[in-house]
Amino acid sequence: MEGQFSAGSMAPPAVPKKRKVVAPPADEPGAKRLELGEDLPDEVSQQDIQHMLDQADDVHVEVLNETALKRLHLQFERKVRLNQELRIKHADEPEKYLKSEVDLDEEVKKFTQVATHPELYTSLVKLETLPILVGMLNHANTDIAVDVFEVLSELTDPEVMAEVDEPEVFINALYEAQLCQMSVDVLLRIDESVSDEDFKAVTNGLTMIENLAEINPQETCKQFAEISTFLPWLIKRVRATGAMDYNRVYASEILGIMLQNSESCRQEMIKLEGVDKLLRGIAAYRKKDPSDSEESEYVQNMFDCLCTLMLLKTHQIAFGKVQGIELMIRMMKERVY
């Protein structure tokens, strides 16, 4: 099976490659420009709307530069401060700070623009925007935390980071802003079953972690391994009951990356009875093949996790005690999967 150890090797299986998002094509030269922050009238007639739609192909937002980024940072700071003040002042009257919350959420989303301008990442660090942005993961309104995940998943895209000068400075600034702890806290409090947006938020969070691991796997896994609640959350997520879903598969991939790159995670799995729990996740396929490519990827990821755990003698002993060898033999005899 792809991803398992060969007879003479004890190296962990290779980390699967992630799919890349192709950047949109550059704007046509000579197109009409719309300045950032240009005000629109309070009321727009139907005729004006149609006129704007007709000219939409010739209009685009002014390219973000260092000055515009500084303005964006200052606006963001003001929106954060105003929202905090109103929340304190009207703690029991949410309708009085609701608009400030909506405005803050919109301001957070604007930082996705920076992902198309890797030359501005250094300025983003110097402006000290990242601690404020990461801090919004801790906002009482989960919707804002959800959008921060989306922004960070865009900003950490490996293809973009490859064009950033001194990317390690940007990544270290994220870690210094307590990104790992706050990210895991958000994952713990999101209920994916509530809405598609909550489900997508977890996807974005896992994407961000995968992005960081692709850039620097050892440091990323070291940082996240220090968050004691992260590994248990991953194990719980990969063992979720019900139909297979995208985030369950994704969590199994992230678990594999963590185990492959972190000795402390492999050790921690002893306390968490990781071998037994992973085998229980696989056991459902002892009499049936995965029904689709999603299930197939999940099973392969779980096997990769088990293979990595076998680097430790303690896990090898546990594997024998929970009849892991017998299960493997049975699956091979029945030619399942």
Side-chain angles (χ1 to χ4, degrees):
M1 179 188 300
E2 184 181 348
Q4 288 186 298
F5 298 122
S6 59
S9 170
M10 286 297 284
V15 177
K17 295 291 183 183
K18 70 193 289 286
R19 290 174 290 188
K20 303 297 181 185
V21 178
V22 180
D27 295 299
E28 292 293 329
K32 181 181 176 183
R33 295 179 180 273
L34 179 66
E35 294 292 336
L36 276 175
E38 183 177 330
D39 292 330
L40 292 174
D42 293 333
E43 295 184 7
V44 183
S45 69
Q46 190 64 39
Q47 184 178 357
D48 288 335
I49 292 174
Q50 187 58 50
H51 181 67
M52 284 186 278
L53 290 174
D54 291 339
Q55 293 188 329
D57 291 338
D58 296 324
V59 179
H60 69 275
V61 176
E62 178 63 61
V63 173
L64 188 66
N65 55 33
E66 198 164 339
T67 301
L69 179 61
K70 186 174 182 179
R71 184 164 61 249
L72 186 61
H73 168 84
L74 293 173
Q75 290 171 348
F76 181 42
E77 272 190 322
R78 284 196 292 269
K79 296 291 173 64
V80 170
R81 194 180 305 116
L82 176 62
N83 178 245
Q84 289 173 341
E85 291 171 356
L86 290 176
R87 269 187 163 269
I88 293 171
K89 186 176 180 180
H90 305 289
D92 299 322
E93 301 173 283
E95 67 279 359
K96 291 190 176 181
Y97 59 73
L98 179 60
K99 185 180 184 303
S100 73
E101 216 115 292
V102 173
D103 291 343
L104 175 57
D105 192 43
E106 289 301 316
E107 210 65 33
V108 165
K109 294 175 184 177
K110 291 179 182 178
F111 284 98
T112 56
Q113 301 172 68
V114 183
T116 61
H117 296 276
E119 73 279 2
L120 294 177
Y121 274 50
T122 301
S123 299
L124 199 63
V125 174
K126 288 180 180 178
L127 287 168
E128 298 186 347
T129 307
L130 294 178
I132 306 173
L133 184 62
V134 172
M136 290 297 96
L137 286 170
N138 200 35
H139 198 282
N141 187 334
T142 305
D143 289 341
I144 291 175
V146 164
D147 285 327
V148 173
F149 263 163
E150 182 175 359
V151 171
L152 292 175
S153 68
E154 294 280 346
L155 292 178
T156 56
D157 185 284
E159 287 190 349
V160 177
M161 293 299 296
E163 300 178 28
V164 174
D165 292 332
E166 299 181 321
E168 66 281 356
V169 174
F170 179 81
I171 299 300
N172 288 338
L174 288 174
Y175 291 144
E176 289 170 7
Q178 305 300 312
L179 173 69
C180 300
Q181 181 65 66
M182 291 192 181
S183 296
V184 175
D185 287 346
V186 175
L187 290 173
L188 288 169
R189 78 179 202 246
I190 289 178
D191 182 354
E192 297 172 68
S193 65
V194 170
S195 68
D196 291 341
E197 287 75 19
D198 288 289
F199 186 89
K200 179 63 176 175
V202 172
T203 303
N204 286 333
L206 295 175
T207 298
M208 179 198 69
I209 295 169
E210 183 184 25
N211 288 346
L212 292 169
E214 186 166 333
I215 297 163
N216 190 334
Q218 298 293 330
E219 182 62 22
T220 297
C221 294
K222 173 180 175 294
Q223 292 281 345
F224 276 93
E226 292 175 358
I227 311 304
S228 61
T229 50
F230 185 48
L231 206 54
W233 181 85
L234 283 173
I235 293 173
K236 180 180 179 181
R237 190 62 187 84
V238 300
R239 297 186 65 220
T241 56
M244 187 63 62
D245 62 74
Y246 184 83
N247 283 348
R248 186 176 174 191
V249 178
Y250 212 163
S252 69
E253 182 178 339
I254 299 299
L255 178 60
I257 292 172
M258 292 291 295
L259 295 177
Q260 290 159 24
N261 292 284
S262 171
E263 171 67 24
S264 65
C265 279
R266 294 193 288 270
Q267 291 285 351
E268 184 65 20
M269 288 289 276
I270 297 172
K271 298 178 186 176
L272 297 172
E273 300 180 334
V275 169
D276 180 56
K277 289 174 181 176
L278 291 176
L279 279 173
R280 289 178 185 275
I282 293 171
Y285 299 94
R286 68 184 183 275
K287 293 182 179 180
K288 66 172 185 176
D289 283 329
S291 60
D292 54 29
S293 60
E294 201 169 62
E295 278 197 349
S296 181
E297 183 180 351
Y298 166 78
V299 175
Q300 181 166 326
N301 289 340
M302 296 289 274
F303 269 113
D304 286 347
C305 291
L306 272 174
C307 288
T308 305
L309 290 182
M310 292 305 105
L311 290 169
L312 295 183
K313 185 73 174 178
T314 307
H315 287 309
Q316 294 173 13
I317 295 172
F319 186 73
K321 285 183 177 179
V322 296
Q323 299 182 325
I325 296 174
E326 288 83 349
L327 177 62
M328 298 300 108
I329 292 173
R330 184 185 307 171
M331 294 178 79
M332 286 187 289
K333 278 184 176 180
E334 295 177 4
R335 297 182 180 182
V336 172
Y337 185 52

